[in-house]
Amino acid sequence: MSIYTHTTVGTNDLNKARAFYDNVLSIIGLKRIADLDDNGSIWGVDAPSFFVLKPANGQPATMGNGTMLSFEAPDRASIDAFHAAALAAGCPDEGAPGTRGWAPNAYAAYTRDLDGNKLAVYCFKAA
């Protein structure tokens, strides 16, 4: 049983967010499965797992300090591609693709999305 149903981030530019997440999430096997009119979109595989929404209170979306979303990638090559696609979209390098010593076979990369939300993408498969 999963401990969550989905994760949500806010955006201030839904069209740019849709294009960004369509690109980087497709690399790790997620697709946009629904649009919520001009309020947001949902990505997943067979069920909703990641939402990008305009804040319901009408205020600007802001990121949380110390908050990070981490996506599971199918392999190390897709982590490299995800990170490269994010950098190509103008997002910052927050940690280059590479091994992480805290767990066996941990391989990850870090960036931020166009609204400043910190993203990680991880794989725990051997090279």
Side-chain angles (χ1 to χ4, degrees):
M1 177 169 70
S2 176
I3 59 171
Y4 68 93
T5 60
H6 64 275
T7 301
T8 301
V9 296
T11 185
N12 293 303
D13 190 326
L14 184 56
N15 290 328
K16 283 185 180 179
R18 283 174 172 160
F20 173 76
Y21 281 110
D22 282 346
N23 183 28
V24 298
L25 293 180
S26 70
I27 294 168
I28 60 171
L30 299 176
K31 62 183 177 189
R32 188 175 352 155
I33 59 175
D35 287 329
L36 307 171
D37 299 318
D38 291 331
N39 296 314
S41 293
I42 304 168
W43 287 260
V45 176
D46 297 320
S49 62
F50 180 67
F51 290 48
V52 175
L53 301 171
K54 291 181 180 176
N57 65 3
Q59 298 298 309
T62 59
M63 66 194 133
N65 186 29
T67 302
M68 180 176 64
L69 303 170
S70 185
F71 295 96
E72 183 178 4
D75 52 44
R76 293 175 178 207
S78 62
I79 290 172
D80 296 343
F82 180 105
H83 189 258
L87 296 182
C91 300
D93 176 7
E94 294 278 335
T99 57
R100 302 300 190 260
W102 64 269
N105 299 314
Y107 188 89
Y110 300 85
T111 186
R112 291 186 183 268
D113 70 10
L114 300 170
D115 288 291
N117 297 296
K118 190 167 184 181
L119 306 176
V121 61
Y122 263 86
C123 177
F124 296 95
K125 295 178 183 174

